[in-house]
Every structure is written in C-alpha cells, then in structure tokens.
Coordinates of all heavy atoms in Angstrom, one line a residue:
Y1 N -7.2 0.5 3.0 CA -8.0 -0.4 2.2 C -7.8 -0.1 0.8 O -8.1 1.1 0.4 CB -9.4 -0.3 2.7 CG -9.6 -0.8 4.2 CD1 -9.5 0.0 5.2 CD2 -9.8 -2.1 4.5 CE1 -9.7 -0.5 6.5 CE2 -10.0 -2.6 5.7 CZ -9.9 -1.8 6.8 OH -10.1 -2.2 8.0
V2 N -7.4 -1.0 0.0 CA -7.0 -0.8 -1.4 C -7.8 -1.6 -2.4 O -7.9 -2.9 -2.2 CB -5.5 -0.9 -1.6 CG1 -5.1 -0.7 -3.0 CG2 -4.7 -0.1 -0.7
V3 N -8.3 -1.0 -3.5 CA -8.9 -1.8 -4.5 C -7.9 -1.7 -5.7 O -7.5 -0.6 -6.2 CB -10.3 -1.1 -5.0 CG1 -10.8 -1.9 -6.2 CG2 -11.2 -1.0 -3.9
A4 N -7.4 -2.9 -6.1 CA -6.4 -3.0 -7.1 C -6.9 -3.4 -8.4 O -8.0 -4.1 -8.5 CB -5.3 -4.0 -6.7
E5 N -6.3 -3.1 -9.6 CA -6.7 -3.5 -10.9 C -6.5 -5.0 -10.9 O -5.6 -5.6 -10.3 CB -5.9 -2.9 -11.9 CG -6.0 -1.4 -12.1 CD -5.1 -0.8 -13.1 OE1 -4.3 -1.5 -13.7 OE2 -5.1 0.4 -13.4
E6 N -7.4 -5.7 -11.7 CA -7.3 -7.1 -11.9 C -5.9 -7.4 -12.4 O -5.4 -6.8 -13.4 CB -8.3 -7.6 -12.8 CG -8.5 -9.1 -12.8 CD -9.7 -9.6 -13.6 OE1 -10.6 -8.8 -13.9 OE2 -9.7 -10.8 -14.1
G7 N -5.2 -8.4 -11.8 CA -3.9 -8.8 -12.3 C -2.7 -7.9 -11.8 O -1.6 -8.2 -12.2
A8 N -3.0 -6.9 -11.1 CA -1.9 -6.0 -10.5 C -1.1 -6.7 -9.5 O -1.5 -7.7 -8.9 CB -2.5 -4.8 -9.9
D9 N 0.2 -6.3 -9.5 CA 1.1 -6.9 -8.5 C 0.9 -6.3 -7.1 O 1.4 -5.2 -6.8 CB 2.6 -6.5 -9.0 CG 3.6 -7.2 -8.2 OD1 3.4 -7.6 -7.0 OD2 4.8 -7.2 -8.7
L10 N 0.2 -7.2 -6.3 CA -0.2 -6.6 -5.0 C 1.0 -6.5 -4.1 O 1.0 -5.5 -3.3 CB -1.2 -7.6 -4.4 CG -2.5 -8.0 -5.2 CD1 -3.4 -8.8 -4.4 CD2 -3.1 -6.7 -5.6
A11 N 2.0 -7.3 -4.2 CA 3.1 -7.1 -3.3 C 3.9 -5.9 -3.7 O 4.4 -5.1 -2.7 CB 4.1 -8.3 -3.5
R12 N 4.0 -5.5 -4.9 CA 4.6 -4.3 -5.3 C 3.8 -3.1 -4.7 O 4.4 -2.1 -4.2 CB 4.8 -4.1 -6.9 CG 5.3 -2.7 -7.3 CD 5.2 -2.5 -8.7 NE 3.9 -2.7 -9.3 CZ 2.9 -1.8 -9.2 NH1 3.1 -0.6 -8.6 NH2 1.7 -2.0 -9.8
I13 N 2.5 -3.1 -4.9 CA 1.6 -2.0 -4.4 C 1.8 -1.8 -2.9 O 2.0 -0.7 -2.4 CB 0.2 -2.2 -4.8 CG1 -0.1 -2.1 -6.3 CG2 -0.7 -1.2 -4.0 CD1 -1.5 -2.5 -6.7
E14 N 1.7 -3.0 -2.2 CA 1.9 -2.8 -0.7 C 3.3 -2.3 -0.3 O 3.4 -1.4 0.6 CB 1.8 -4.2 -0.1 CG 1.8 -4.3 1.4 CD 1.5 -5.6 2.1 OE1 1.0 -6.5 1.3 OE2 1.6 -5.8 3.2
N15 N 4.3 -2.7 -1.0 CA 5.6 -2.2 -0.7 C 5.7 -0.6 -1.0 O 6.4 0.1 -0.2 CB 6.7 -2.9 -1.6 CG 8.1 -2.4 -1.2 OD1 8.6 -2.6 0.0 ND2 8.8 -1.8 -2.1
E16 N 5.1 -0.2 -2.1 CA 5.2 1.2 -2.5 C 4.4 2.0 -1.4 O 4.9 3.1 -1.1 CB 4.5 1.5 -3.9 CG 5.5 1.0 -5.0 CD 5.0 1.6 -6.3 OE1 4.5 2.8 -6.3 OE2 5.1 1.0 -7.4
I17 N 3.4 1.5 -0.9 CA 2.6 2.2 0.1 C 3.5 2.3 1.4 O 3.7 3.4 2.0 CB 1.3 1.5 0.5 CG1 0.3 1.6 -0.7 CG2 0.6 2.1 1.7 CD1 -1.0 0.7 -0.6
K18 N 4.0 1.2 1.9 CA 4.7 1.1 3.2 C 6.0 1.9 3.2 O 6.4 2.4 4.3 CB 5.0 -0.3 3.6 CG 3.7 -1.0 4.0 CD 4.0 -2.4 4.5 CE 2.7 -3.1 5.0 NZ 3.1 -4.5 5.5
T19 N 6.6 2.1 1.9 CA 7.9 2.8 1.9 C 7.7 4.2 1.4 O 8.7 4.9 1.2 CB 8.9 2.0 1.0 OG1 8.2 1.9 -0.4 CG2 9.2 0.7 1.6
M20 N 6.5 4.7 1.2 CA 6.3 6.1 0.7 C 6.8 7.1 1.7 O 6.2 7.2 2.9 CB 4.8 6.3 0.3 CG 4.6 7.5 -0.5 SD 2.8 7.8 -0.7 CE 2.3 6.3 -1.7
P21 N 7.8 8.0 1.4 CA 8.2 8.9 2.3 C 7.3 10.0 2.7 O 6.3 10.3 1.7 CB 9.5 9.6 1.6 CG 9.3 9.2 0.1 CD 8.5 7.9 0.1
K22 N 7.3 10.5 3.9 CA 6.4 11.6 4.4 C 5.0 11.0 4.7 O 4.3 11.6 5.5 CB 6.4 12.7 3.4 CG 7.6 13.5 3.2 CD 7.4 14.8 2.4 CE 8.7 15.5 2.1 NZ 8.5 16.7 1.3
Y23 N 4.5 10.0 4.0 CA 3.2 9.5 4.2 C 3.1 8.3 5.1 O 2.4 8.2 6.0 CB 2.6 9.2 2.8 CG 2.1 10.4 2.1 CD1 3.0 11.1 1.3 CD2 0.8 11.1 2.2 CE1 2.6 12.3 0.5 CE2 0.4 12.2 1.5 CZ 1.3 12.8 0.7 OH 1.0 13.9 0.1
F24 N 3.9 7.3 4.7 CA 3.9 6.0 5.5 C 5.1 5.4 6.0 O 5.0 4.6 6.8 CB 3.2 4.9 4.4 CG 1.8 5.2 3.9 CD1 1.6 5.9 2.7 CD2 0.7 5.1 4.8 CE1 0.3 6.2 2.3 CE2 -0.5 5.4 4.3 CZ -0.8 6.0 3.1
S25 N 6.2 5.9 5.5 CA 7.5 5.2 5.9 C 7.8 5.2 7.3 O 8.5 4.4 7.9 CB 8.6 5.7 5.1 OG 8.8 7.1 5.3
D26 N 7.3 6.3 8.0 CA 7.6 6.4 9.5 C 6.5 5.8 10.4 O 6.6 6.0 11.6 CB 7.6 8.0 9.8 CG 8.9 8.6 9.1 OD1 9.9 7.9 8.9 OD2 8.8 9.8 8.9
Y27 N 5.6 5.1 9.8 CA 4.5 4.5 10.5 C 4.4 3.0 10.4 O 4.7 2.5 9.3 CB 3.1 5.1 10.1 CG 3.1 6.6 10.4 CD1 3.5 7.5 9.3 CD2 2.5 7.1 11.5 CE1 3.5 8.8 9.5 CE2 2.4 8.5 11.6 CZ 2.9 9.4 10.7 OH 2.8 10.7 10.8
D28 N 3.9 2.3 11.3 CA 3.4 0.9 11.1 C 2.2 0.9 10.3 O 1.2 1.5 10.7 CB 3.2 0.1 12.5 CG 4.5 -0.1 13.2 OD1 5.6 -0.1 12.6 OD2 4.5 -0.2 14.5
T29 N 2.2 0.3 9.1 CA 1.2 0.4 8.1 C 0.6 -1.0 7.8 O 1.4 -1.8 7.5 CB 1.7 1.2 6.8 OG1 2.1 2.5 7.2 CG2 0.6 1.3 5.8
T30 N -0.6 -1.1 7.8 CA -1.3 -2.4 7.4 C -2.1 -2.0 6.1 O -2.9 -1.1 6.0 CB -2.3 -2.8 8.5 OG1 -1.6 -3.0 9.7 CG2 -3.0 -4.1 8.1
V31 N -1.9 -3.0 5.1 CA -2.6 -2.8 3.8 C -3.6 -4.0 3.6 O -3.1 -5.1 3.7 CB -1.6 -2.8 2.7 CG1 -2.2 -2.6 1.3 CG2 -0.6 -1.6 2.9
N32 N -4.8 -3.6 3.4 CA -5.8 -4.7 3.1 C -6.3 -4.5 1.6 O -6.8 -3.4 1.3 CB -7.0 -4.6 4.1 CG -6.5 -4.9 5.5 OD1 -6.0 -5.9 5.9 ND2 -6.7 -3.8 6.4
F33 N -6.3 -5.6 0.8 CA -6.9 -5.4 -0.5 C -8.3 -5.9 -0.5 O -8.5 -7.1 0.0 CB -6.0 -6.4 -1.4 CG -4.7 -5.6 -1.7 CD1 -3.5 -6.1 -1.0 CD2 -4.5 -4.6 -2.6 CE1 -2.3 -5.5 -1.2 CE2 -3.3 -4.0 -2.9 CZ -2.1 -4.5 -2.2
I34 N -9.1 -5.1 -1.0 CA -10.7 -5.5 -0.9 C -11.2 -5.1 -2.3 O -10.6 -4.5 -3.1 CB -11.4 -4.8 0.3 CG1 -11.3 -3.2 0.1 CG2 -10.9 -5.2 1.5 CD1 -12.2 -2.4 1.1
S35 N -12.5 -5.5 -2.5 CA -13.2 -5.3 -3.7 C -13.8 -3.8 -3.7 O -13.9 -3.2 -2.6 CB -14.3 -6.2 -3.9 OG -15.3 -6.0 -2.9

C-alpha cells in the first residue's frame, strides 16, 4: 500500500517496487496506491 506524491509517475513506482532485487523481484507483488 503506497502513498505517492501528487503528480508522481505511478507506473514507474510500481515497476521499481516489483523489480527490486532481494525484496520483491522473486515474489508475486501487488501494489495499491492509496491516500
């Protein structure tokens, strides 16, 4: 669950999370943007 800055590139943030080595790249990861 992620709170992003106004106007931030959400697709980029989601991709950075899902491809982060050691933390997320080896897992099925779901990203939800919320307030």
Side-chain angles (χ1 to χ4, degrees):
Y1 293 92
V2 181
V3 180
E5 293 177 0
E6 189 173 344
D9 185 342
L10 303 187
R12 174 189 58 79
I13 292 172
E14 182 171 353
N15 183 64
E16 282 196 38
I17 294 171
K18 289 184 173 181
T19 59
M20 191 184 296
K22 296 185 181 179
Y23 285 88
F24 297 100
S25 58
D26 293 335
Y27 300 85
D28 289 337
T29 301
T30 302
V31 179
N32 298 300
F33 290 98
I34 61 174
S35 68

